[in-house]
């Protein structure tokens, strides 16, 4: 059970707080996982009262169709502090509230500051946390009781990520900083380390001698919805490429951690990202494709001349012994035909060695890891179709979480929050992991910058309900391969 805590959510009326954080906290409360004493304080610009903020949260949860049993008991723990991020007044009032909670409890309770605002506010909020000494917790100069939670995107490129990190490290110790990438909290992503290293049968073939290539698809059927103001300045590469895709790649590429401990796992993840082969900015057009869905420019709060990408596909490599020269094809897009996040490990086709004249299926063995939805893992193998003549056919062996565990997979944010309460940083990025991924991503951004300066450059447009611009297929086809549907 958790010790008492207070979580202050900056940006509490925004999309992330409303669609994920408060509902996950409520779900944990209903599962009896929040402990007896806790306080949630929403901090944002709008002038709400505590009750008005509770109503906003209630309506949002209702809209998502979740059960509202026990809402009243939960809502008693929710408060609201209006304030501008760049004015001291709101912070000062926040201090009074926090002190009142400490007084009520007769002790310094752990303070968690969750930055769930657009990233351009991070620096300002951090400055005020420092100036008002909120960062020090409980007013007696000890930072022991505070934790800082910061959402992606962490910076806009390598340089800004580094300066944000410098600022953070001047205010907080590393053990207090939780850099969130909720993909690390997904059940299916956590399972990758178990699946690969707890089973002896995969490790021997998990390398360039057996694997032809790896494909990762991150498809979302929705567009940007009401997030234009955030998304238009960010784009798909920074929004999901620099982080969520990186976690999926890492789960495939990393070596067995030296120990299943916070640093053991983070070391293994960092080494994997470090092995990414950089793409030279001048060469970006050869292996990276971007696109924008039709109608994006007319979305609310989007610049009508925007060149922001809502789709990105690339071919990339890892320079390590395990995967040297194995291509990784990755694509991520909005308004794709379906919601699907999956990793396919495509093994080298060996069927023809013996069965060439009987006709081998086009693809050999494929291991498909379905991150979401229909969480599970499938293995495609070649079998003899029943009958007197020899004929080969692919068949799928499937494991699904739904059938096997008979419970709904919890939202990743529940796991993320529980780990923050427990002070466990294994599923949070260390600063070196982020620097390595920015090293890679920043070169692509520089390449795009060069492209955009060409006189006739126009970002390729794709129709909704399609898998991105045709150039994304060409990435594959020129290698004689294709995306698995
Ligand atoms: C967020 C991105 O981090 O992840 C969104 O900002 C994206 O653009 C979302 O839609 C995807 O998360 P999930 O858990 O719905 O797959």
């Amino acid at each position: 059970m958790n010790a008492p805590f207070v979580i202050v959510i900056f940006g509490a009326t925004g999309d992330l707080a409303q669609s994920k954080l408060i509902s996950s906290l409520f779900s944990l409360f209903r599962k009896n996982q929040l402990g007896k004493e806790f306080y949630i304080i929403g901090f944002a610009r709008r002038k709400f009262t505590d009750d008005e903020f509770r109503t906003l949260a209630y309506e949002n949860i209702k809209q998502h169709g979740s059960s509202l049993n026990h809402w009243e008991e939960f809502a008693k723990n929710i408060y609201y502090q209006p304030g501008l991020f760049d004015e001291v007044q709101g912070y000062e009032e926040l201090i009074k509230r926090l002190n009142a909670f400490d007084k009520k409890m007769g002790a310094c309770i752990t303070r968690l500051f969750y930055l769930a605002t657009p990233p351009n506010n991070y620096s300002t909020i951090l400055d005020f946390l420092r100036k008002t000494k909120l960062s020090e917790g409980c007013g007696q100069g000890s930072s022991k009781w505070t934790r800082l939670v910061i959402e992606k995107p962490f910076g806009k490129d390598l340089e800004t990520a580094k300066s944000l990190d410098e600022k953070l490290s001047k205010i907080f110790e590393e053990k207090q900083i939780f850099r969130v990438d909720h993909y690390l909290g997904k059940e299916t992503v956590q399972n990758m380390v178990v699946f690969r290293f707890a089973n002896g049968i995969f490790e021997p073939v998990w390398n360039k001698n057996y694997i032809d290539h790896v494909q990762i698809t991150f498809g979302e059927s929705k567009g940007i919805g009401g997030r234009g103001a955030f998304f238009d300045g960010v784009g798909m590469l920074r929004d999901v490429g620099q982080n969520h895709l990186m976690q999926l790649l890492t789960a495939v590429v990393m070596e067995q951690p030296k120990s299943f401990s916070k640093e053991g796992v983070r070391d293994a993840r960092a080494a994997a990202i470090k092995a990414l082969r950089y793409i030279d900015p001048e060469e970006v057009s050869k292996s990276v494709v971007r696109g924008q869905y039709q109608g994006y420019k007319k979305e609310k709060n989007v610049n009508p001349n925007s060149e922001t990408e809502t789709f990105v596909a690339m071919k990339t490599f890892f320079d390590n012994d395990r995967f040297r020269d194995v291509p990784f094809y990755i694509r991520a897009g909005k308004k794709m035909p379906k919601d699907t996040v999956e990793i396919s490990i495509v093994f080298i086709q060996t069927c023809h060695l013996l069965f060439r004249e009987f006709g081998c299926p086009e693809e050999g063995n494929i291991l498909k890891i379905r991150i979401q939805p229909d969480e599970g893992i499938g293995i495609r193998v070649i079998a003899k179709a029943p009958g007197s003549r020899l004929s080969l056919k692919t068949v799928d062996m499937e494991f699904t979480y739904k059938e096997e565990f008979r419970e709904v997979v919890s939202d990743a944010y529940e796991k993320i929050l529980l780990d923050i309460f427990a002070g466990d940083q294994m599923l949070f990025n260390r600063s070196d992991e982020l620097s390595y991924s920015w090293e890679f991503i920043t070169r692509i951004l520089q390449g795009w910058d060069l492209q955009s300066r060409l006189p006739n450059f126009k970002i390729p447009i794709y129709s909704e309900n399609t898998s991105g611009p045709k150039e994304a297929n060409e990435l594959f086809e020129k290698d004689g391969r294709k995306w698995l549907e």
Side-chain angles (χ1 to χ4, degrees):
M1 198 58 90
N2 292 307
F5 68 88
V6 50
I7 180 166
V8 181
I9 305 176
F10 290 93
T13 53
D15 187 66
L16 174 71
Q18 289 296 325
S19 68
K20 295 282 186 193
L21 298 181
I22 298 190
S23 57
S24 295
L25 285 164
F26 182 40
S27 171
L28 291 172
F29 175 78
R30 284 161 28 109
K31 293 178 193 165
N32 221 356
Q33 290 183 298
L34 283 193
K36 277 214 175 66
E37 300 289 343
F38 67 92
Y39 304 90
I40 299 167
I41 306 184
F43 187 110
R45 194 176 356 172
R46 278 193 253 171
K47 292 209 176 337
F48 283 144
T49 61
D50 290 343
D51 272 337
E52 282 166 341
F53 181 62
R54 288 172 189 147
T55 307
L56 176 76
Y58 175 90
E59 292 300 330
N60 271 304
I61 292 181
K62 194 162 141 197
Q63 208 186 339
H64 281 96
S66 311
S67 158
L68 283 151
N69 277 344
H70 302 290
W71 172 260
E72 294 300 324
E73 291 151 62
F74 174 70
K76 282 186 207 143
N77 303 284
I78 303 182
Y79 301 82
Y80 184 76
Q81 177 57 56
L84 296 176
F85 299 137
D86 57 355
E87 281 184 14
V88 76
Q89 196 190 344
Y91 297 89
E92 283 174 348
E93 282 163 19
L94 176 64
I95 294 174
K96 286 188 202 144
R97 281 189 184 238
L98 293 174
N99 289 344
F101 295 150
D102 283 342
K103 202 163 165 207
K104 189 170 158 211
M105 298 297 297
C108 286
I109 53 178
T110 306
R111 294 173 179 181
L112 313 169
F113 298 108
Y114 200 123
L115 307 194
T117 65
N120 53 347
N121 297 304
Y122 292 168
S123 179
T124 312
I125 298 174
L126 287 171
D127 283 338
F128 275 97
L129 288 180
R130 187 182 49 78
K131 274 190 218 151
T132 57
K133 295 205 184 316
L134 267 165
S135 55
E136 295 179 11
C138 217
Q140 71 286 70
S142 154
S143 56
K144 184 161 107 196
W145 306 105
T146 63
R147 280 176 206 150
L148 193 275
V149 188
I150 187 161
E151 273 285 339
K152 46 134 296 251
F154 189 88
K156 281 195 87 148
D157 52 23
L158 182 60
E159 207 180 308
T160 50
K162 276 195 171 148
S163 70
L164 180 57
D165 213 48
E166 263 166 41
K167 176 167 269 186
L168 266 180
S169 62
K170 281 191 189 135
I171 309 177
F172 295 98
E173 290 173 43
E174 183 60 30
K175 64 172 190 258
Q176 295 175 282
I177 306 170
F178 289 74
R179 301 175 189 83
V180 176
D181 180 336
H182 75 282
Y183 263 64
L184 284 173
K186 293 214 182 248
E187 198 57 70
T188 40
V189 177
Q190 291 179 65
N191 182 45
M192 289 286 290
V193 111
V194 176
F195 180 76
R196 285 188 52 201
F197 302 116
N199 295 296
I201 59 173
F202 297 111
E203 182 59 8
V205 294
W206 204 269
N207 58 52
K208 57 182 187 282
N209 299 328
Y210 293 91
I211 294 176
D212 180 77
H213 71 278
V214 176
Q215 310 192 3
I216 298 181
T217 295
F218 183 109
E220 295 183 308
S221 56
K222 65 181 183 194
I224 55 159
R227 299 168 74 221
F230 160 78
F231 190 89
D232 203 37
V234 172
M236 202 63 176
L237 183 64
R238 290 189 183 98
D239 185 35
V240 307
Q242 187 271 332
N243 34 72
H244 307 335
L245 284 176
M246 216 43 86
Q247 307 310 344
L248 300 179
L249 283 168
T250 309
V252 176
V253 172
M254 75 182 205
E255 293 301 321
Q256 177 160 332
K258 287 213 172 78
S259 63
F260 192 66
S261 63
K262 171 181 90 174
E263 295 311 341
V265 172
R266 301 207 299 182
D267 283 348
R269 280 205 311 256
I273 308 175
K274 195 176 176 195
L276 260 171
R277 190 182 294 170
Y278 297 147
I279 302 172
D280 184 352
E282 257 100 48
E283 302 282 303
V284 160
S285 58
K286 290 190 189 148
S287 48
V288 187
V289 169
R290 56 180 157 158
Q292 187 185 78
Y293 65 75
Q294 204 155 27
Y296 171 79
K297 291 182 179 48
K298 295 206 181 104
E299 297 276 24
K300 200 172 150 213
N301 294 328
V302 165
N303 173 352
N305 299 317
S306 175
E307 297 285 355
T308 298
E309 80 288 356
T310 58
F311 174 95
V312 60
M314 70 177 88
K315 173 178 158 184
T316 184
F317 294 93
F318 287 84
D319 281 326
N320 58 14
D321 288 347
R322 190 186 282 276
F323 279 114
R324 184 161 292 111
D325 295 335
V326 174
F328 283 69
Y329 301 89
I330 327 163
R331 59 182 170 170
K334 305 264 181 207
K335 296 233 176 180
M336 301 262 280
K338 56 181 178 180
D339 288 314
T340 178
V341 179
E342 58 189 26
I343 302 173
S344 298
I345 314 283
V346 181
F347 288 89
I348 293 170
Q349 170 70 291
T350 52
C351 166
H352 60 270
L353 296 179
L354 187 60
F355 300 110
R356 183 192 301 262
E357 59 193 285
F358 301 96
C360 285
E362 197 181 333
E363 286 128 9
N365 301 123
I366 299 172
L367 178 72
K368 197 174 257 201
I369 299 149
R370 288 188 307 278
I371 303 296
Q372 65 188 43
D374 303 327
E375 290 82 356
I377 298 180
I379 301 186
R380 180 168 297 178
V381 295
I382 299 172
K384 175 185 174 301
S388 54
R389 277 183 45 238
L390 180 67
S391 149
L392 307 180
K393 193 178 169 302
T394 49
V395 292
D396 291 321
M397 299 195 280
E398 292 284 336
F399 139 65
T400 66
Y401 278 69
K402 215 194 280 161
E403 276 175 30
E404 214 51 51
F405 300 118
R406 296 195 188 278
E407 59 184 66
V408 183
V409 174
S410 312
D411 191 278
Y413 272 98
E414 293 184 26
K415 171 71 178 154
I416 292 295
L417 286 163
L418 284 178
D419 285 0
I420 295 167
F421 302 147
D424 180 351
Q425 292 174 306
M426 186 193 283
L427 299 181
F428 296 82
N429 284 135
R430 213 168 50 190
S431 96
D432 56 343
E433 294 175 64
L434 292 176
S435 300
Y436 296 140
S437 73
W438 276 121
E439 287 268 7
F440 175 78
I441 297 289
T442 301
R443 285 170 167 80
I444 299 177
L445 293 168
Q446 287 165 345
W448 283 354
D449 202 37
L450 294 176
Q451 277 174 4
S452 299
R453 280 192 240 147
L454 296 174
N456 294 324
F457 174 78
K458 288 245 173 321
I459 186 162
I461 304 292
Y462 60 97
S463 311
E464 66 178 82
N465 217 6
T466 62
S467 300
K470 62 176 184 345
E471 289 83 348
N473 294 338
E474 288 163 11
L475 259 189
F476 242 122
E477 285 156 10
K478 64 185 180 204
D479 292 347
R481 300 186 177 103
K482 64 176 191 326
W483 293 108
L484 298 165
E485 290 310 330

